[in-house]
Amino acid sequence: MSKCQCNVMSKINNDIKLDFKDVLIVPQSSTLKSRSEVDLNRTMKFKNSNQEYCGVPIIAANMDTIGTFPMALALNKHNLLTTIHKHYSNDEWKQFADQHPDAIKNVAVSSGIGESDFTNLSTILEEVPSIPFICLDVANGYSDLFVEFVKKTRAAFPDRTIMAGNVVTAEMVKKLILAGADIIKIGIGPGSVCTTRKKTGVGYPQLSTVIECAEVAHELGGHIISDGGCTYPGDVCKAFGAGADFVMLGGMLSGHTECGGETIERNGKKYKKFYGMSSATAMNKHNGGVAEYRASEGKTVEIPYRGDVDQTILDILGGLRSACTYTGSSKLEELPRKTRFIRVTQQTNEIFQQMEVDN
Ligand code: 5GP
């Protein structure tokens, strides 16, 4: 082999990496009589915080349109989690905790990695000590600064369960778990309002990264969140089937009453604005504009108003229960073990897509 061919081979990994749309789950024989027998609650013990959690491990993303207090209340009814966005004041946190103490068990407080972020995080946790989860969230979880911040947060809050991300490769999952994180947030570029792949060329297909990162996290006693890229309940099922312990949703929860962001009325129809946290809309709102040295890596869209989120949640949970029965999993916990994927060239029949009146 020529030196030139060798260089090309080491520069390109020729294994095909897959997304949710590239696979389907193969059904298996089952003794389950009804979907209602399926238990979607999972109990987990976290490696570094030593805390136990029991709930349905679907999480509303910490975007300011999605990770709102009203969303947390709606999701808590079904025992789902919400990572609350980082733009609420201490007083708003305190008021929420005072009025809804039962909902706190299913929320995370979010933080970036600046000095002021750490101060805000500490103040909120002082005001509301019952918050069980901290979500340390940066677009690029590969910086040494981020790893140091995880260590500092672990030292300061030894009994809080720390979610940290985002990353997409096994070696970084390992580094973050060893730095003190419990649950690693996996996903770069799959999000519905993310433009990172277009702006930077960086990313990793979501199904493959979940399979690869789950393996190393579980070997170490850690957990992972599949964050971004779910467009239908079936994608949530595939993410769990691939080994995700939690699945985080943004776009699938957008457009509802509980969402933040502007409501727009046009020609008698209502829409809700939904945008990426690195979009120009978010940066204008929270950072006084897009700094000259960076590009926005998110977009803004208008979602036709979809009413209360409750029906959407029931639809997702119904799909998940059904996937469990198709694979013979009496508990969500069994789904990864029972899941076999096949690669496909087409997953659905789109013939009447434009004519749908109900789905
Ligand atoms: P979705 O469920 O909408 O496909 O993905 C939600 C995830 O997209 C979020 O949890 C977050 O990780 C990611 N995200 C949110 N806003 C942005 C953004 O502006 N840019 C990028 N690159 N990712 C974003």
Side-chain angles (χ1 to χ4, degrees):
M1 193 182 299
S2 72
K3 191 171 172 217
C4 179
Q5 272 176 314
C6 264
N7 283 345
V8 169
M9 284 182 72
S10 59
K11 194 123 181 116
I12 301 177
N13 177 345
N14 277 309
D15 290 351
I16 294 177
K17 303 294 177 184
L18 302 173
D19 249 310
F20 299 131
K21 67 167 185 15
D22 300 317
V23 299
L24 286 168
I25 298 169
V26 184
Q28 302 207 31
S29 67
S30 162
T31 53
L32 287 165
K33 293 191 190 75
S34 153
R35 281 160 221 210
S36 61
E37 290 175 25
V38 174
D39 184 3
L40 295 182
N41 284 286
R42 274 201 61 188
T43 302
M44 299 176 215
K45 181 141 188 197
F46 299 112
K47 178 184 169 77
N48 291 310
S49 70
N50 237 351
Q51 299 297 311
E52 208 168 83
Y53 155 84
C54 180
V56 179
I58 294 176
I59 313 177
N62 55 331
M63 302 165 79
D64 67 357
T65 48
I66 304 297
T68 63
F69 286 137
M71 185 66 79
L73 290 180
L75 265 56
N76 182 52
K77 280 194 225 147
H78 301 277
N79 215 7
L80 270 58
L81 286 162
T82 301
T83 47
I84 303 293
H85 69 72
K86 65 175 194 178
H87 302 288
Y88 281 114
S89 67
N90 298 338
D91 285 346
E92 287 170 308
W93 262 104
K94 220 169 142 17
Q95 194 181 2
F96 177 74
D98 287 345
Q99 289 173 357
H100 309 285
D102 61 304
I104 293 291
K105 68 177 188 304
N106 278 325
V107 301
V109 52
S110 304
S111 173
I113 59 167
E115 279 292 322
S116 60
D117 289 316
F118 192 78
T119 309
N120 287 342
L121 176 67
S122 307
T123 314
I124 292 168
L125 286 172
E126 217 166 276
E127 298 274 7
V128 189
S130 50
I131 300 171
F133 295 96
I134 296 171
C135 178
L136 300 180
D137 185 36
V138 288
N140 171 8
Y142 282 76
S143 74
D144 289 347
L145 204 65
F146 185 55
V147 177
E148 288 312 309
F149 197 89
V150 171
K151 287 184 188 163
K152 177 172 158 177
T153 309
R154 168 54 63 219
F157 307 105
D159 60 355
R160 298 315 146 97
T161 299
I162 299 177
M163 306 167 172
N166 281 21
V167 299
V168 286
T169 49
E171 106 273 358
M172 209 57 211
V173 168
K174 187 172 172 185
K175 214 167 173 179
L176 290 172
I177 291 174
L178 296 180
D182 298 288
I183 313 171
I184 312 304
K185 217 146 74 76
I186 305 297
I188 291 187
S192 57
V193 280
C194 160
T195 56
T196 294
R197 292 178 185 175
K198 278 191 179 163
K199 288 283 171 80
T200 68
V202 175
Y204 209 110
Q206 191 65 7
L207 183 90
S208 289
T209 181
V210 167
I211 294 173
E212 292 165 23
C213 293
E215 193 179 334
V216 67
H218 295 160
E219 268 170 23
L220 291 167
H223 293 85
I224 68 157
I225 302 171
S226 172
D227 176 19
C230 288
T231 54
Y232 302 105
D235 294 340
V236 178
C237 305
K238 290 174 188 176
F240 281 121
D245 302 291
F246 296 85
V247 177
M248 181 171 272
L249 303 176
M252 283 182 70
L253 302 180
S254 67
H256 294 99
T257 318
E258 293 80 358
C259 294
E262 219 179 307
T263 304
I264 299 147
E265 286 211 49
R266 201 184 310 115
N267 302 329
K269 275 189 131 184
K270 267 197 196 176
Y271 300 84
K272 290 213 82 159
K273 250 193 190 166
F274 175 53
Y275 45 84
M277 292 313 289
S278 303
S279 65
T281 304
M283 285 199 265
N284 287 335
K285 195 167 169 189
H286 302 298
N287 304 340
V290 183
E292 257 181 35
Y293 63 86
R294 63 182 291 179
S296 88
E297 286 181 28
K299 61 187 172 191
T300 301
V301 296
E302 290 175 5
I303 310 286
Y305 174 62
R306 299 157 74 189
D308 295 351
V309 76
D310 213 54
Q311 196 48 50
T312 300
I313 296 299
L314 291 177
D315 198 41
I316 295 169
L317 299 184
L320 199 47
R321 273 193 207 97
S322 190
C324 286
T325 50
Y326 270 119
T327 54
S329 315
S330 61
K331 297 175 182 162
L332 178 60
E333 195 180 347
E334 293 170 17
L335 187 59
R337 217 171 354 105
K338 298 279 179 79
T339 295
R340 293 287 167 272
F341 291 115
I342 40 163
R343 273 186 69 194
V344 295
T345 53
Q346 183 181 342
Q347 58 167 339
T348 54
N349 179 342
E350 304 292 341
I351 186 73
F352 292 133
Q353 206 188 18
Q354 305 301 324
M355 291 156 244
E356 246 170 49
V357 288
D358 181 19
N359 63 7

